[in-house]
Amino acid sequence: LPQRFASAAPQIWPRISVVDSMAKDGLPARKPVFFSGEEALQEVAKPDGLWNWALVGPDPVKLPLAGGGAGSIDEMRHALGAQPSSFGILRMTFGVGPKAKTKYVYVHASNVDDDADGAVAFSMRERGQALAKAPLMERAMQKFVQTHVKVEITNQADCCPSFIIPKLLKVSNVHASFITIELYEKGMAEFRLAHPVSKEDEEKQVEAVKLVEDLAPAPEQHEPEAEEPPEEKEVDEADSGPTRARRKMRIYKPGDLIMVWSDASRSWHDDGEVQQVLDEPGKHCKQPLNAGSMKVVYANGKRFKWVDPQNAETLLRPSTRPKPPPVKSGEMDKETHSMFTEWHVRFFELNKGFISWWKGKEDYAHGHPCGGTVPLLGLQMRIAESQLSFWTSSTKGQMMTLDAYEVSDAQEWSQAMMAHGEYMEQMTAHLANSASKGNEGESDAKHGKKLMATSTIERRKAHLEGSS
């Protein structure tokens, strides 16, 4: 990192303003973000602020930011499941133009009554502790703006206009005719038009996330499984798969990025990598291997096969996709907003543009499922001493904060995350280009979009069959 990171002052990456965050190279614009609860709540309190909601953890002094954004109630609903308990402000505008009415809602959000998968269960004592915090947090919110109503949301299903608007109506006798779902939707439409990140950009970002969400790699320590040969069957002559004709030998080097033909799925995988090349003849599961045979790993690291150099021209192709940064792993603390703002030790891995975490290193080493995985597409990050706070295009209004314990470690992690974020942007452009133009050497019937679709199906199949 540059020398400026030696100071204790928070640093923001990437360094962009709201105006120059517009889309480039076909990628959607980045949304404006904030990294402190105070800044976020101040923005929501403005009648025309860039954000219309913000949630913070249960600390009335530090106000640790848990989530926020410009997507109002729908976006806030996604963030509720990420934290057991949080407090904040929601700004709702009804109607358009000079006659529009703006209302502020004090929100205590939790999943106390949420029966959804993954919801945290609370005891009556813990719920009592949460309610005891509410008056302190409400007073903290009133410092930013006088709210019109307070609403307790205890499950994601209640985070919707039809639940919140009736509560506003009970305290808004004067403006009751304005407090309707129809006028709220009109107000949101005008809000989107007035802000630099358009609805079109948001849709582009959603599509970009969909494009990469199936690319999550297996953990670095995961041992891939050998590809099972397909059942013998007649092959149509028009099939664009590899032929058995011998061609000149081609030997790739370990680390080379390649496309791999899968006999099992009869499709190409543009995620292969050469892991090993034999210097002399050998064997694998009693199968004789010639010198120069290459062990190639594909299907997001879940499958492998040995390729004889005589077959390399028909089973392997060079890939033009970007080379991923080195894998990085280690322990950090992860911030959680429960009855109190807490920090929990987690084991993290950065791999091919994704950050994943486990409860501990043993869970990681034994191949247990991870606690979460986030693609670093659209990464925006702040580094303050040993803490890293970041948003991505897929976190849907949730900000994540980690503590690397030491400033030097935070610098290393931030540098690695930046590199993986850059890689994810490059990979998204590569996938979009492949989908629109097709890959070199493919027939029109195997044009890029169809190639990516079949690859995605095989990746999902490999995930189901080969996940540990």
Side-chain angles (χ1 to χ4, degrees):
L1 287 177
Q3 189 64 34
R4 65 176 183 271
F5 282 97
S7 68
Q11 303 295 329
I12 309 297
W13 186 88
R15 287 181 169 271
I16 57 171
S17 69
V18 173
V19 175
D20 30 277
S21 68
M22 300 308 293
K24 59 180 180 179
D25 300 329
L27 293 176
R30 297 179 188 273
K31 295 180 180 180
V33 298
F34 302 90
F35 292 93
S36 78
E38 184 174 357
E39 290 176 346
L41 292 167
Q42 286 175 347
E43 194 66 24
V44 174
K46 299 175 183 177
D48 59 347
L50 295 172
W51 277 14
N52 48 33
W53 72 276
L55 296 175
V56 298
D59 187 327
V61 178
K62 295 182 178 180
L63 299 175
L65 185 60
S72 193
I73 298 172
D74 289 339
E75 188 178 43
M76 186 169 68
R77 185 186 309 115
H78 291 293
L80 290 187
Q83 302 292 349
S85 183
S86 50
F87 303 81
I89 300 173
L90 167 68
R91 186 182 72 235
M92 301 179 70
T93 299
F94 297 86
V96 298
K99 294 184 178 181
K101 305 299 179 185
T102 298
K103 300 293 181 180
Y104 291 93
V105 180
Y106 162 64
V107 177
H108 175 198
S110 71
N111 56 4
V112 170
D113 298 324
D114 206 332
D115 295 327
D117 291 341
V120 178
F122 288 93
S123 66
M124 292 300 295
R125 178 183 177 185
E126 288 173 322
R127 182 164 187 175
Q129 290 174 328
L131 293 174
K133 281 274 186 178
L136 295 175
M137 295 304 300
E138 185 175 3
R139 283 199 290 271
M141 297 302 106
Q142 304 303 326
K143 294 178 181 178
F144 296 94
V145 67
Q146 185 66 40
T147 57
H148 296 91
V149 68
K150 55 183 178 182
V151 176
E152 184 180 4
I153 300 174
T154 59
N155 60 70
Q156 287 181 301
D158 284 346
C159 190
C160 61
S162 60
F163 179 80
I164 296 174
I165 287 177
K167 297 187 180 299
L168 265 173
L169 281 171
K170 290 181 179 180
V171 296
S172 303
N173 294 329
V174 176
H175 300 140
S177 60
F178 285 87
I179 313 301
T180 67
I181 291 180
E182 181 182 2
L183 289 178
Y184 163 72
E185 291 174 347
K186 288 183 177 180
M188 277 300 299
E190 185 179 57
F191 173 81
R192 291 191 183 99
L193 289 174
H195 290 75
V197 180
S198 68
K199 192 175 183 67
E200 181 182 358
D201 286 322
E202 291 179 356
E203 291 172 352
K204 284 182 181 179
Q205 197 70 74
V206 169
E207 290 303 314
V209 171
K210 287 181 180 178
L211 203 58
V212 301
E213 63 185 0
D214 290 324
L215 302 183
E220 181 73 0
Q221 50 78 40
H222 176 82
E223 187 64 33
E225 297 183 359
E227 177 183 270
E228 295 181 4
E231 296 180 4
E232 293 294 331
K233 61 180 180 179
E234 294 183 7
V235 180
D236 193 321
E237 292 182 359
D239 196 301
S240 61
T243 65
R244 296 300 177 185
R246 290 290 181 96
R247 301 183 183 181
K248 64 179 181 179
M249 291 193 299
R250 176 166 186 174
I251 300 178
Y252 293 87
K253 304 186 299 295
D256 282 351
L257 304 182
I258 51 174
M259 296 177 66
V260 181
W261 174 261
S262 169
D263 287 325
S265 65
R266 302 204 64 77
S267 64
W268 287 95
H269 291 253
D270 190 9
D271 65 352
E273 183 174 342
V274 178
Q275 192 175 78
Q276 182 183 352
V277 179
L278 295 183
D279 294 327
E280 54 187 40
K283 284 186 177 182
H284 171 71
C285 295
K286 300 181 180 181
Q287 173 191 357
L289 299 172
N290 294 321
S293 292
M294 294 156 281
K295 182 181 180 181
V296 296
V297 179
Y298 63 101
N300 296 335
K302 299 179 178 70
R303 289 278 188 271
F304 80 90
K305 67 194 301 182
W306 282 95
V307 178
D308 189 278
Q310 290 280 0
N311 299 325
E313 287 293 321
T314 55
L315 297 178
L316 306 177
R317 293 177 179 174
S319 173
T320 60
R321 73 183 189 275
K323 190 173 182 64
V327 175
K328 181 175 175 60
S329 61
E331 289 185 342
M332 288 189 286
D333 281 352
K334 182 175 179 290
E335 186 180 44
T336 302
H337 305 297
S338 181
M339 298 305 101
F340 305 94
T341 296
E342 302 171 332
W343 294 87
H344 301 283
V345 179
R346 295 289 181 261
F347 189 85
F348 289 85
E349 181 185 83
L350 277 173
N351 192 354
K352 295 183 179 178
F354 288 80
I355 184 167
S356 306
W357 60 92
W358 289 257
K359 283 189 175 181
K361 189 173 183 179
E362 288 188 0
D363 285 356
Y364 169 81
H366 292 135
H368 294 170
C370 65
T373 298
V374 174
L376 296 179
L377 180 65
L379 175 67
Q380 298 186 71
M381 179 168 55
R382 183 188 72 166
I383 306 100
E385 296 184 342
S386 64
Q387 292 185 8
L388 305 93
S389 300
F390 65 95
W391 305 82
T392 74
S393 300
S394 64
T395 50
K396 296 180 180 178
Q398 177 199 3
M399 188 182 79
M400 295 185 63
T401 300
L402 312 175
D403 194 323
Y405 310 127
E406 300 290 340
V407 173
S408 58
D409 292 333
Q411 292 176 2
E412 290 181 8
W413 274 102
S414 63
Q415 189 174 34
M417 290 177 68
M418 292 175 195
H420 281 265
E422 294 273 10
Y423 165 77
M424 190 57 81
E425 302 283 354
Q426 295 167 5
M427 193 65 188
T428 302
H430 169 76
L431 294 176
N433 183 62
S434 297
S436 62
K437 296 182 179 179
N439 290 280
E440 184 178 355
E442 289 293 301
S443 66
D444 290 340
K446 294 279 185 180
H447 206 259
K449 192 170 275 188
K450 187 172 182 180
L451 174 67
M452 290 309 302
T454 56
S455 297
T456 298
I457 292 171
E458 175 61 18
R459 278 194 294 270
R460 286 174 175 166
K461 178 181 177 184
H463 174 74
L464 292 174
E465 295 178 353
S467 59
S468 62

